[in-house]
Amino acid sequence: MSRFPENFLWGGATSAAQVEGGRCEDGKGLSHLDYVYYRGPKIPCNFMLKKDFEKAKAEEDKLNFPNRRGIDFYHHYKEDIALLGEMGFKSFRMSISWTRLFPTGLEETPDPKGVEFYHNVFKELHKYGIEPLVTMIHYELPVIFVEKYDGWASPEVVPHCVRYLKFLIDEYKDEVTYWLTFNEINMVTAVPYLGGGILLDRYDDFAIPKGFRPFGALPEAMAKRWNNASHQALHHQFIASAILVKYAHDTAPQCKIGNMFNLHHLYPETPSPADAYRAHEESEYNMFFCDVMAKGSYPKWILSYYRKHGIDIKWYTDYEKILSEGKIDFISLSYYLSSIVTADPARQERIGSFIRTLKNPYLEDSQFGWQIDPTALRISLNELRDRFGLPIFIAENGLGAFEELGEDKTVHDGYRIEYLRKHIEALAAAIEDGVDVFGYTPWGCIDLVSCSLVSMSKRYGFVYVDADDEGNGTYKRYKKDSFEWYKKVIAINGEDLT
Ligand code: BG6
């Protein structure tokens, strides 16, 4: 007998910015991610400063913007969904592009062609019995909010965003039951441009240090701007999300709305109380993003954390009521890695893209330095159960790797099967521990543009897409070895993972 519940939502995940392409077709507008340009095979690009943004605008014809091409899902969606159907997907996590519906973000009514596109996608999914799980905002912000405003740190974004979010419920509530408001809401404080369209040096009130790299020690003025702008942006996102949740509960009670946060499990480097406290504090910080959305209020300790770190934001008079009325129905998360923290954070190195950690000698790394740790997933799921008592959806998990199509027109990705097998095992163990997990959608089920590297060469899929970082290739789809393996896992509801 399978350890997974009947009707478990096996599937895969993508986002509009990373797959759709067709960026300017049918009246679509551009988002802030369309200005992130490729800088090399292992260089994280999503940390944008003013000069990067200005360069992207000034050299639009010369630079390489992979997000504008995606994998051309806009024209391939029928073929792609047929492949998901063949694998037996029960669920497909996708996002809607705000600027395909509201090209500048300021329109009062949406573009009918954009509206129609998503109706067509949902229709196609339902044809194969696939339940869409839709992220309303997977990092995309209409670019005007970067040009004219301070990204999500400006309160002006909120009413425009709320109009977009409510429209989604009004228009698609009969086709989509499961919704997530903001993808990885905690990323706005880690990578302010990616998560919030914030150019940290927008107001030029500090000089960017020579050789600056994200997460190094920050000069005081920069740390202040980072802390204040990104937490202000986060507060605006919490408010927009809570307004939407209440609206959906009032007008479309059949819909279930979740949050989405990036879970990274943290270990202390040593049993020293100082290391243990730092790990505890960082874990609490990671969980606070869920606290606000699931419990409907800021936990008391975070307010003293804000004071300790000099975080000073504008709260608004009604915010407590808004948050308390907009509590989510389920928790969703992305999980890729665990990290080690120490009382002396300067010793932690940035690995892969965004996370700073020490090397864990007990774990293997991916080709991108992400420390692979299925057990931490089991531990974290147990903690989430105890803290929130809500159903949980694993919205992302997976292994990014450099891959090439072989002469036999496939990719022998046994390493991916091994990675997923171990994580699904951990998931099954967590379910046996009593955690209510109702779905699992591995990231990038079809190869797509990497978020951090903005390139095609970091691949996650069961399906290979013949496209390179420069946009060369046929864009044809090919099944990897993991395709048949995952198909079998789904068919027998995870009973046998060999
Ligand atoms: C998550 C994001 O952070 O990780 C995705 O929600 C992203 O958009 C995924 O693609 C994997 O990260 P990367 O940088 O390997 O693409």
Side-chain angles (χ1 to χ4, degrees):
M1 213 191 73
S2 173
R3 294 165 289 177
F4 289 87
E6 222 182 306
N7 304 324
F8 187 76
L9 293 173
W10 297 100
T14 60
S15 81
Q18 293 165 268
V19 297
E20 272 184 14
R23 296 318 277 172
C24 295
E25 275 179 64
D26 295 333
K28 190 193 173 307
L30 293 174
S31 83
H32 78 309
L33 290 191
D34 292 317
Y35 286 88
V36 180
Y37 54 93
Y38 175 76
R39 301 180 209 182
K42 276 201 170 188
I43 304 177
C45 311
N46 262 308
F47 195 92
M48 297 266 285
L49 295 170
K50 202 161 64 181
K51 69 170 173 27
D52 304 312
F53 185 70
E54 281 165 4
K55 178 173 167 155
K57 295 203 75 177
E59 298 177 30
E60 219 157 335
D61 299 340
K62 287 192 224 139
L63 296 172
N64 176 5
F65 299 101
N67 283 328
R68 297 188 185 193
R69 298 186 295 270
I71 53 162
D72 200 22
F73 179 79
Y74 193 62
H75 298 106
H76 287 251
Y77 72 92
K78 288 193 178 170
E79 175 191 349
D80 289 343
I81 292 171
L83 285 164
L84 310 183
E86 191 182 332
M87 268 188 281
F89 273 31
K90 311 286 180 216
S91 171
F92 177 53
R93 176 174 174 236
M94 53 176 277
S95 73
I96 288 183
S97 170
W98 183 350
T99 56
R100 196 174 287 292
L101 299 189
F102 296 85
T104 67
L106 304 180
E107 294 82 359
E108 291 292 328
T109 51
D111 185 309
K113 288 202 184 109
V115 176
E116 189 56 25
F117 171 68
Y118 293 108
H119 277 304
N120 292 339
V121 171
F122 297 143
K123 193 168 149 205
E124 202 65 19
L125 287 168
H126 286 302
K127 190 165 116 189
Y128 293 92
I130 301 174
E131 189 76 49
L133 171 83
V134 175
T135 317
M136 295 169 147
I137 298 193
H138 194 117
Y139 290 145
E140 283 189 280
L141 177 68
V143 74
I144 197 165
F145 294 111
V146 181
E147 289 169 323
K148 300 217 163 119
Y149 301 93
D150 191 10
W152 266 100
S154 293
E156 284 82 358
V157 186
V158 178
H160 294 293
C161 176
V162 167
R163 184 171 60 247
Y164 159 68
L165 299 178
K166 286 183 174 175
F167 172 78
L168 296 184
I169 293 294
D170 292 343
E171 183 71 22
Y172 300 116
K173 60 177 180 290
D174 297 328
E175 290 144 274
V176 179
T177 302
Y178 298 103
W179 298 88
L180 312 177
T181 52
F182 286 85
N183 180 62
E184 293 190 336
I185 196 159
N186 43 343
M187 275 299 149
V188 68
T189 63
V191 194
Y193 184 80
L194 173 67
I198 296 167
L199 300 169
L200 280 178
D201 55 345
R202 178 181 189 88
Y203 301 117
D204 253 340
D205 52 2
F206 54 80
I208 303 294
K210 201 161 182 253
F212 162 76
R213 55 184 189 117
F215 307 107
L218 299 176
E220 202 187 324
M222 193 172 178
K224 194 166 165 216
R225 160 82 172 136
W226 187 319
N227 276 337
N228 290 342
S230 68
H231 287 87
Q232 186 68 67
L234 173 69
H235 190 55
H236 291 150
Q237 294 184 351
F238 281 151
I239 287 173
S241 177
I243 292 173
L244 181 279
V245 174
K246 176 165 171 22
Y247 182 75
H249 287 165
D250 291 346
T251 63
Q254 73 276 22
C255 291
K256 302 283 171 224
I257 322 288
N259 68 337
M260 200 304 203
F261 84 114
N262 174 251
L263 169 78
H264 42 270
H265 190 83
L266 297 154
Y267 301 104
E269 182 190 19
T270 72
S272 92
D275 283 356
Y277 186 75
R278 171 106 204 293
H280 164 78
E281 191 178 53
E282 291 287 308
S283 299
E284 284 294 296
Y285 183 75
N286 195 220
M287 286 289 179
F288 121 80
F289 298 90
C290 288
D291 285 337
V292 176
M293 300 177 84
K295 296 180 178 170
S297 62
Y298 277 77
K300 199 170 166 200
W301 82 269
I302 196 77
L303 303 176
S304 57
Y305 181 95
Y306 275 22
R307 278 194 295 280
K308 178 174 151 194
H309 292 273
I311 298 168
D312 184 17
I313 65 169
K314 190 167 175 351
W315 293 94
Y316 311 108
T317 38
D318 283 346
Y319 89 91
E320 282 166 314
K321 181 168 184 298
I322 293 171
L323 295 182
S324 69
E325 289 177 350
K327 291 184 230 166
I328 49 167
D329 303 307
F330 65 95
I331 302 276
S332 93
L333 58 95
S334 59
Y335 175 74
Y336 293 94
L337 50 89
S338 65
S339 23
I340 293 188
V341 295
T342 152
D344 174 14
R347 287 180 43 233
Q348 290 166 215
E349 281 295 319
R350 194 164 62 76
I351 54 151
S353 308
F354 305 133
I355 314 282
R356 288 178 72 222
T357 180
L358 296 175
K359 171 75 191 122
N360 188 328
Y362 299 98
L363 299 178
E364 280 178 23
D365 296 350
S366 77
Q367 289 170 345
F368 297 85
W370 295 17
Q371 306 193 102
I372 301 170
D373 188 358
T375 305
L377 176 63
R378 179 180 182 182
I379 299 171
S380 296
L381 288 174
N382 275 272
E383 287 169 356
L384 286 166
R385 173 205 57 207
D386 293 347
R387 192 168 181 126
F388 300 108
L390 287 173
I392 299 173
F393 194 101
I394 314 291
E396 286 184 32
N397 172 232
L399 182 72
F402 289 112
E403 288 171 335
E404 277 178 22
L405 194 65
E407 280 178 10
D408 53 357
K409 297 290 175 212
T410 187
V411 177
H412 301 292
D413 57 345
Y415 42 88
R416 176 166 296 108
I417 293 174
E418 198 49 19
Y419 175 102
L420 293 172
R421 192 185 62 71
K422 287 184 180 151
H423 284 79
I424 296 173
E425 271 299 344
L427 197 52
I431 290 171
E432 286 185 316
D433 294 338
V435 185
D436 178 8
V437 183
F438 69 101
Y440 177 70
T441 49
W443 178 247
C445 45
I446 296 188
D447 288 349
L448 40 65
V449 175
S450 155
C451 172
S452 53
L453 306 177
V454 193
S455 70
M456 277 305 297
S457 39
K458 185 178 187 189
R459 296 170 183 271
Y460 286 85
F462 302 113
V463 174
Y464 181 91
V465 177
D466 177 28
D468 70 12
D469 296 339
E470 273 74 36
N472 305 309
T474 59
Y475 284 75
K476 276 195 184 156
R477 278 61 169 154
Y478 298 90
K479 297 171 192 172
K480 302 182 193 174
D481 284 354
S482 54
F483 185 100
E484 290 301 331
W485 174 80
Y486 194 47
K487 180 176 170 182
K488 184 177 148 216
V489 168
I490 297 175
I492 56 174
N493 199 22
E495 198 178 322
D496 177 7
L497 301 172
T498 50

